[in-house]
Amino acid sequence: MTSAPDPHEPGTAASEPPRPVLSDVPGGLLGQDALRPVSPKLVPARYLAATVGYALGLIAIAGAIVGAVLTGWWWLGLLALLPVALIVQSLALTPRRVRAIGYHDGEDELTIASGIMFRTVSSIPYGRVQSVKIDEGPVDRRYGLAQLSVSTAAGGSTVTLPGLPKEEAERLRTLLTDRGISTMAAL
């Protein structure tokens, strides 16, 4: 005599599907099977781009400490905590912020996701693309990276995708323009 399967037992038809496991590894897919991460070279590029800010922060820290020592006003030393907090959070969170950026070039649209605490996911239908631009600053060129900017017909909004290798940025620009033209021609 067999008993009926328990609907709450894993592996039965009535059980819930397994929840997706979010991956946080640098080469991972950021919790979505088709989402591609940007180049890991974006981390040192962002550190290099922020060196001027780090230097100004260190000068502010030194000024606050020297001011506290010379004037005897101890509370001036507390002003050094703000630049310390800004520098530490920038150094600690930049790798995770870069890993949170991803994209997917699907059949009908380009999806770009970014952000840790405040997650932003933009889906751009190919038929709405008005212009695609590739930007490279001096730091980007040093690391072989580019930033893709996509302008859409929806209120003139622009979505950017930083940290792409140059070849991938060129491929995406060609893909977006070709699919945009073919989508508009089909209408």
Side-chain angles (χ1 to χ4, degrees):
M1 180 172 185
T2 61
S3 64
D6 183 9
H8 300 291
E9 186 177 322
T12 61
S15 67
E16 292 182 19
R19 300 187 114 185
V21 178
L22 295 177
S23 171
D24 229 9
V25 286
L29 298 172
L30 302 171
Q32 195 174 11
D33 291 338
L35 199 61
R36 296 184 197 177
V38 296
S39 174
K41 292 180 183 179
L42 185 58
V43 174
R46 287 205 169 165
Y47 283 146
L48 182 61
T51 54
V52 172
Y54 296 152
L56 291 175
L58 292 175
I59 290 170
I61 292 167
I65 292 172
V66 167
V69 169
L70 292 179
T71 62
W73 296 339
W74 62 269
W75 54 268
L76 277 178
L78 294 177
L79 294 177
L81 294 179
L82 180 63
V84 165
L86 291 173
I87 291 171
V88 167
Q89 69 84 22
S90 175
L91 290 172
L93 295 179
T94 294
R96 178 61 184 97
R97 288 179 181 142
V98 169
R99 286 195 314 264
I101 303 170
Y103 65 99
H104 172 65
D105 50 326
E107 290 295 319
D108 299 325
E109 63 191 11
L110 174 69
T111 302
I112 299 174
S114 64
I116 301 171
M117 185 181 268
F118 299 102
R119 188 87 172 144
T120 302
V121 178
S122 301
S123 293
I124 306 163
Y126 295 130
R128 295 274 184 187
V129 173
Q130 287 194 333
S131 69
V132 182
K133 185 172 87 169
I134 296 177
D135 297 316
E136 294 177 281
V139 175
D140 290 331
R141 279 192 298 274
R142 176 185 168 110
Y143 288 97
L145 300 175
Q147 175 175 313
L148 189 75
S149 299
V150 182
S151 298
T152 63
S157 64
T158 302
V159 179
T160 59
L161 180 59
L164 293 173
K166 288 180 186 179
E167 301 80 29
E168 181 66 7
E170 288 290 338
R171 183 191 73 80
L172 280 175
R173 180 175 65 174
T174 304
L175 175 91
L176 288 170
T177 53
D178 290 347
R179 286 194 181 168
I181 290 170
S182 66
T183 303
M184 291 305 291
L187 296 176

